[in-house]
Amino acid sequence: MVYRGQLSKQWENRTAAFKRLDHNHENITPLIGYCDQGNEMIIVSEFATNGSLDYHLLDPDKSFCLTWAQRMNICMGAAKGLEYLHWENRAVIHRDMKSSSILLDNNLDTKICGFGLSLLVNGNQPQIYQRPTGTQFYIDPFYKESGMVTTASDVYSFGIVLFEMLSEMLAYNKRSIDDSTMMTRWRSSLIPL
Protein backbone atom coordinates (compact mmCIF):
# COMPACT_ATOMS: atom_id res chain seq x y z
CA MET A 1 0.00 0.00 0.00
CA VAL A 2 1.18 3.52 -0.82
CA TYR A 3 -0.05 6.42 1.30
CA ARG A 4 0.08 10.15 0.66
CA GLY A 5 1.25 12.28 3.54
CA GLN A 6 2.84 15.54 4.53
CA LEU A 7 6.30 15.82 6.02
CA SER A 8 7.09 18.01 9.02
CA LYS A 9 8.11 21.65 8.98
CA GLN A 10 11.76 20.52 9.15
CA TRP A 11 11.20 18.98 5.68
CA GLU A 12 9.42 22.10 4.37
CA ASN A 13 5.96 20.50 4.73
CA ARG A 14 6.52 18.62 1.46
CA THR A 15 3.96 16.08 0.29
CA ALA A 16 5.46 12.59 0.10
CA ALA A 17 4.53 9.01 -0.77
CA PHE A 18 4.89 6.42 1.98
CA LYS A 19 5.09 2.80 0.85
CA ARG A 20 4.15 0.20 3.42
CA LEU A 21 5.96 -3.06 2.70
CA ASP A 22 5.07 -6.58 3.73
CA HIS A 23 7.28 -8.38 6.22
CA ASN A 24 10.60 -9.35 4.74
CA HIS A 25 11.33 -12.79 3.29
CA GLU A 26 13.81 -15.01 5.13
CA ASN A 27 16.17 -14.96 2.13
CA ILE A 28 16.27 -11.15 1.80
CA THR A 29 18.65 -9.11 3.95
CA PRO A 30 16.41 -7.26 6.41
CA LEU A 31 16.60 -3.52 6.82
CA ILE A 32 17.15 -2.72 10.47
CA GLY A 33 17.20 1.06 10.18
CA TYR A 34 18.58 4.09 8.43
CA CYS A 35 19.95 7.55 9.11
CA ASP A 36 19.46 10.59 6.90
CA GLN A 37 20.77 13.44 8.99
CA GLY A 38 22.94 16.30 7.83
CA ASN A 39 25.39 14.92 5.30
CA GLU A 40 25.07 11.36 6.58
CA MET A 41 23.02 8.76 4.73
CA ILE A 42 23.39 5.34 6.37
CA ILE A 43 21.51 2.08 5.85
CA VAL A 44 21.66 -0.47 8.67
CA SER A 45 21.07 -4.12 7.81
CA GLU A 46 21.70 -7.52 9.32
CA PHE A 47 25.36 -8.60 9.40
CA ALA A 48 26.23 -11.77 7.44
CA THR A 49 28.86 -13.57 9.51
CA ASN A 50 30.07 -15.71 6.58
CA GLY A 51 30.35 -12.84 4.11
CA SER A 52 29.29 -12.97 0.50
CA LEU A 53 29.21 -15.96 -1.82
CA ASP A 54 31.92 -14.51 -4.07
CA TYR A 55 34.24 -14.41 -1.05
CA HIS A 56 33.86 -18.19 -0.74
CA LEU A 57 34.26 -18.77 -4.48
CA LEU A 58 37.39 -16.56 -4.68
CA ASP A 59 39.21 -18.61 -2.06
CA PRO A 60 39.75 -22.18 -3.34
CA ASP A 61 40.07 -23.51 0.21
CA LYS A 62 36.73 -22.00 1.28
CA SER A 63 35.03 -23.02 -1.95
CA PHE A 64 36.29 -26.58 -1.63
CA CYS A 65 34.88 -26.76 1.91
CA LEU A 66 31.33 -26.11 0.69
CA THR A 67 29.59 -29.46 0.43
CA TRP A 68 27.13 -30.15 -2.36
CA ALA A 69 24.30 -30.06 0.20
CA GLN A 70 25.44 -26.60 1.35
CA ARG A 71 25.74 -25.41 -2.25
CA MET A 72 22.23 -26.66 -2.97
CA ASN A 73 20.91 -24.91 0.15
CA ILE A 74 22.61 -21.64 -0.88
CA CYS A 75 21.20 -21.85 -4.42
CA MET A 76 17.69 -22.77 -3.23
CA GLY A 77 17.71 -19.90 -0.73
CA ALA A 78 18.71 -17.41 -3.42
CA ALA A 79 16.07 -18.83 -5.79
CA LYS A 80 13.37 -18.50 -3.12
CA GLY A 81 14.47 -14.92 -2.43
CA LEU A 82 14.28 -14.06 -6.14
CA GLU A 83 10.89 -15.74 -6.42
CA TYR A 84 9.66 -13.53 -3.57
CA LEU A 85 11.08 -10.40 -5.24
CA HIS A 86 9.43 -11.30 -8.54
CA TRP A 87 5.99 -11.83 -7.03
CA GLU A 88 3.36 -11.04 -9.71
CA ASN A 89 1.62 -7.90 -8.44
CA ARG A 90 4.62 -5.95 -7.22
CA ALA A 91 7.76 -7.34 -8.80
CA VAL A 92 11.11 -6.01 -7.69
CA ILE A 93 13.76 -6.34 -10.38
CA HIS A 94 17.15 -6.53 -8.66
CA ARG A 95 19.20 -5.56 -11.76
CA ASP A 96 22.53 -6.50 -10.13
CA MET A 97 22.11 -10.15 -9.14
CA LYS A 98 25.57 -11.68 -8.70
CA SER A 99 27.51 -13.80 -6.24
CA SER A 100 28.54 -10.75 -4.19
CA SER A 101 24.81 -9.92 -3.79
CA ILE A 102 24.30 -13.20 -1.93
CA LEU A 103 25.25 -13.09 1.72
CA LEU A 104 25.67 -16.11 3.99
CA ASP A 105 24.78 -16.07 7.67
CA ASN A 106 26.35 -18.21 10.40
CA ASN A 107 24.38 -21.29 9.17
CA LEU A 108 25.30 -20.57 5.52
CA ASP A 109 21.67 -19.57 4.89
CA THR A 110 21.22 -17.18 1.97
CA LYS A 111 20.32 -13.50 2.18
CA ILE A 112 20.01 -11.44 -1.01
CA CYS A 113 21.36 -7.90 -0.68
CA GLY A 114 22.50 -4.99 -2.85
CA PHE A 115 19.26 -3.33 -3.92
CA GLY A 116 20.82 -0.04 -5.02
CA LEU A 117 19.81 -0.54 -8.68
CA SER A 118 16.52 -2.35 -8.08
CA LEU A 119 13.18 -1.29 -9.54
CA LEU A 120 9.62 -1.79 -8.33
CA VAL A 121 7.45 -2.66 -11.34
CA ASN A 122 3.85 -3.58 -11.97
CA GLY A 123 3.85 -7.31 -12.62
CA ASN A 124 6.30 -8.38 -15.29
CA GLN A 125 5.95 -5.26 -17.45
CA PRO A 126 9.30 -4.40 -19.07
CA GLN A 127 10.91 -1.13 -18.14
CA ILE A 128 12.92 0.68 -20.84
CA TYR A 129 16.16 2.46 -20.04
CA GLN A 130 18.76 4.02 -22.30
CA ARG A 131 21.78 2.44 -20.61
CA PRO A 132 21.56 -0.93 -18.89
CA THR A 133 23.06 -1.04 -15.42
CA GLY A 134 24.54 -3.87 -13.40
CA THR A 135 27.79 -5.79 -13.28
CA GLN A 136 29.25 -6.57 -16.70
CA PHE A 137 29.59 -10.36 -16.55
CA TYR A 138 26.10 -10.89 -15.11
CA ILE A 139 23.95 -8.62 -17.33
CA ASP A 140 21.32 -10.31 -19.48
CA PRO A 141 22.39 -9.86 -23.15
CA PHE A 142 18.81 -9.00 -24.20
CA TYR A 143 18.69 -6.25 -21.57
CA LYS A 144 22.14 -5.05 -22.64
CA GLU A 145 21.13 -4.81 -26.31
CA SER A 146 17.53 -3.60 -26.02
CA GLY A 147 17.53 -1.64 -22.77
CA MET A 148 14.39 -3.58 -21.73
CA VAL A 149 14.59 -5.17 -18.31
CA THR A 150 12.19 -7.74 -16.84
CA THR A 151 12.36 -10.28 -14.05
CA ALA A 152 13.86 -12.64 -16.66
CA SER A 153 16.96 -10.41 -16.60
CA ASP A 154 17.48 -11.33 -12.94
CA VAL A 155 16.92 -15.01 -13.76
CA TYR A 156 19.67 -14.84 -16.40
CA SER A 157 22.05 -13.24 -13.88
CA PHE A 158 21.16 -15.89 -11.31
CA GLY A 159 22.00 -18.54 -13.92
CA ILE A 160 25.52 -17.10 -14.03
CA VAL A 161 25.70 -17.46 -10.23
CA LEU A 162 24.58 -21.10 -10.52
CA PHE A 163 27.34 -21.71 -13.08
CA GLU A 164 29.84 -20.14 -10.68
CA MET A 165 28.70 -22.49 -7.92
CA LEU A 166 29.03 -25.52 -10.17
CA SER A 167 32.37 -24.57 -11.72
CA GLU A 168 33.89 -22.99 -8.58
CA MET A 169 34.94 -20.06 -10.78
CA LEU A 170 33.72 -16.48 -10.71
CA ALA A 171 32.40 -15.24 -14.06
CA TYR A 172 35.08 -12.57 -14.28
CA ASN A 173 38.07 -14.80 -13.40
CA LYS A 174 39.98 -16.12 -16.38
CA ARG A 175 40.80 -19.81 -16.01
CA SER A 176 41.39 -22.62 -18.45
CA ILE A 177 38.58 -25.19 -18.61
CA ASP A 178 41.09 -28.06 -18.74
CA ASP A 179 42.83 -26.92 -15.57
CA SER A 180 43.94 -30.26 -14.08
CA THR A 181 43.83 -29.01 -10.48
CA MET A 182 40.18 -28.03 -10.89
CA MET A 183 39.30 -31.45 -12.33
CA THR A 184 41.10 -33.20 -9.48
CA ARG A 185 39.18 -31.13 -6.94
CA TRP A 186 35.88 -31.88 -8.66
CA ARG A 187 36.51 -35.62 -8.72
CA SER A 188 37.49 -35.67 -5.04
CA SER A 189 34.32 -33.79 -4.06
CA LEU A 190 31.94 -36.16 -5.83
CA ILE A 191 29.92 -38.42 -3.58
CA PRO A 192 29.19 -41.97 -4.81
CA LEU A 193 25.50 -42.85 -4.99
Side-chain angles (χ1 to χ4, degrees):
M1 298 292 293
V2 179
Y3 300 92
R4 179 180 167 174
Q6 189 170 359
L7 297 174
S8 68
K9 192 174 183 180
Q10 174 187 354
W11 295 96
E12 302 171 2
N13 296 319
R14 288 185 287 189
T15 301
F18 297 86
K19 180 155 183 74
R20 184 176 184 197
L21 302 173
D22 298 332
H23 291 290
N24 218 359
H25 188 271
E26 65 183 332
N27 297 112
I28 306 294
T29 301
L31 175 69
I32 295 173
Y34 70 94
C35 172
D36 184 6
Q37 192 172 27
N39 291 331
E40 294 292 333
M41 295 178 77
I42 301 168
I43 294 176
V44 182
S45 62
E46 185 178 278
F47 180 73
T49 54
N50 276 305
S52 59
L53 178 58
D54 69 325
Y55 170 74
H56 289 269
L57 295 175
L58 271 172
D59 184 342
D61 294 327
K62 289 192 182 322
S63 178
F64 188 59
C65 290
L66 288 175
T67 66
W68 286 106
Q70 289 170 325
R71 290 168 196 262
M72 181 64 88
N73 185 54
I74 291 166
C75 293
M76 290 299 293
K80 288 175 184 175
L82 266 183
E83 179 185 41
Y84 173 77
L85 290 174
H86 294 169
W87 190 65
E88 297 170 12
N89 297 332
R90 54 110 193 101
V92 174
I93 302 175
H94 191 283
R95 291 202 308 164
D96 201 20
M97 190 65 198
K98 56 189 175 183
S99 51
S100 63
S101 297
I102 298 173
L103 300 179
L104 304 172
D105 69 10
N106 59 336
N107 296 319
L108 293 177
D109 289 329
T110 306
K111 305 286 184 183
I112 296 175
C113 70
F115 293 94
L117 299 176
S118 63
L119 298 170
L120 182 64
V121 297
N122 221 354
N124 196 21
Q125 297 299 313
Q127 303 294 312
I128 300 173
Y129 292 91
Q130 298 299 322
R131 283 185 20 212
T133 57
T135 303
Q136 179 183 355
F137 298 96
Y138 300 87
I139 298 175
D140 169 20
F142 177 75
Y143 172 37
K144 194 180 234 180
E145 291 174 17
S146 68
M148 292 177 62
V149 62
T150 66
T151 55
S153 301
D154 282 349
V155 174
Y156 175 89
S157 301
F158 182 56
I160 300 296
V161 173
L162 295 176
F163 179 77
E164 289 176 330
M165 286 290 282
L166 182 62
S167 68
E168 295 183 340
M169 296 187 308
L170 291 172
Y172 51 85
N173 279 1
K174 190 173 183 177
R175 184 188 279 181
S176 174
I177 296 295
D178 58 58
D179 185 343
S180 60
T181 58
M182 186 177 124
M183 294 307 289
T184 303
R185 289 170 48 130
W186 264 42
R187 284 190 192 109
S188 66
S189 66
L190 294 176
I191 301 169
L193 296 175

